[in-house]
Amino acid sequence: MIVIVDYKAGNLTSVKRALDYLGVQAIISSDPDSVRGADRVIFPGVGHAASAMHNLTSTGLGKALLDVFKRGTPLLGICLGTQIILSRSEEGPTECLGLLPGECKKFVAPSSEFKIPHMGWNCVKRVKNHPLLEDVSDGAEFYFVHSYFPCVADDSSVYLTCTYTIPFTAALGCKNLFATQFHLEKSGELGLSILRRFTLWDGSAC
C-alpha cells in the first residue's frame, strides 16, 4: 500500500487524484503506524516550514518518516516535503527533519523582473541518472510554485537542477529517498511518469 502523509500541509488530494488516474491504490493518512507499515510513502505539501514541522513533531509523523527512511522503504518528497527533509530551513528559521544534510534557502529577486514565488513551468538540467527519471531529458519542463529552494550538503545527492535567479536543486535523492521541488501532480505526462515509476521502484538508486 502507498501512504500519502497527511500533516495538514495541503496538496494531498491532488496527489491522490494523480495516483487514481494511474490506477494505483493509495490512502491519505495521519497515522504514524500506517506510515511505518506502508510499502511506499509519499510526502507532499505546500505551506510554511515551521507550521509543517510543528505538526510533524506533535503527531509523531516526523519520527515515522525517519523510521521509513532508515528502514529502506521507498520515500518520495514533493515541494514542501522536499524542503523539510533537509536539516533546516531559512523559513522561520526552522530546524527540519534532517533526513539529508542541507538547508532550504529563500530566493532573493535581483530585480523587479523576477517575481517571488517562482511560479510556473521551467526547464530542468539532468545531472545524473536515476530509475525515476528514465523519461526525463535535458530541457524537460515541470511546474514549480515555491519561494524557498533546497541546498544539499553533498552534491552527489543532486539529480536535476533548474535556474530561477540562480541555479538551484530541482530533484535530489539518497538511497531509498527521492524528492522533487516541482509539483509532480501538476507537471503533465512527465510528472505522472515519475509518479508511475515510483510505484514500481524498489528503493535502489542504481
Side-chain angles (χ1 to χ4, degrees):
M1 173 64 71
I2 295 176
V3 172
I4 303 167
V5 182
D6 180 5
Y7 59 113
K8 311 306 178 190
N11 211 43
L12 307 177
T13 55
S14 58
V15 175
K16 176 68 164 59
R17 284 194 210 102
L19 291 168
D20 289 343
Y21 176 81
L22 294 172
V24 176
Q25 187 175 11
I27 63 169
I28 296 172
S29 179
S30 59
D31 176 25
D33 288 336
S34 294
V35 172
R36 287 189 182 90
D39 298 316
R40 290 174 178 81
V41 175
I42 299 179
F43 183 42
V46 293
H48 192 279
S51 297
M53 283 305 304
H54 172 77
N55 291 335
L56 288 167
T57 301
S58 63
T59 60
L61 285 167
K63 178 62 166 60
L65 286 165
L66 180 60
D67 292 342
V68 163
F69 180 55
K70 288 181 175 178
R71 184 180 298 140
T73 301
L75 172 61
L76 177 65
I78 303 173
C79 197
L80 181 61
T82 296
Q83 296 175 2
I84 58 179
I85 61 174
L86 300 178
S87 307
R88 69 183 304 274
S89 173
E90 288 185 347
E91 189 174 23
T94 303
E95 295 301 313
C96 297
L97 292 174
L99 304 189
L100 290 184
E103 181 177 18
C104 188
K105 298 185 177 182
K106 185 176 177 61
F107 280 118
V108 176
S111 70
S112 59
E113 176 186 355
F114 293 94
K115 304 299 182 185
I116 308 300
H118 170 215
M119 182 181 298
W121 293 86
N122 204 344
C123 60
V124 299
K125 179 179 179 180
R126 184 165 171 154
V127 176
K128 62 179 185 174
N129 296 334
H130 191 279
L132 302 192
L133 300 177
E134 289 296 321
D135 300 320
V136 178
S137 57
D138 261 354
E141 292 191 336
F142 294 92
Y143 190 81
F144 293 83
V145 183
H146 61 125
S147 299
Y148 295 78
F149 59 92
C151 298
V152 293
D154 183 353
D155 287 343
S156 68
S157 298
V158 178
Y159 285 88
L160 297 174
T161 61
C162 183
T163 298
Y164 187 74
T165 75
I166 59 170
F168 66 90
T169 298
L172 56 94
C174 177
K175 300 177 182 177
N176 54 304
L177 168 65
F178 191 80
T180 67
Q181 180 57 67
F182 48 84
H183 284 272
L184 294 173
E185 75 285 0
K186 297 181 180 180
S187 293
E189 288 301 319
L190 281 180
L192 291 175
S193 166
I194 293 174
L195 274 175
R196 183 184 297 110
R197 289 182 179 278
F198 175 72
T199 67
L200 302 172
W201 185 41
D202 65 0
S204 169
C206 300

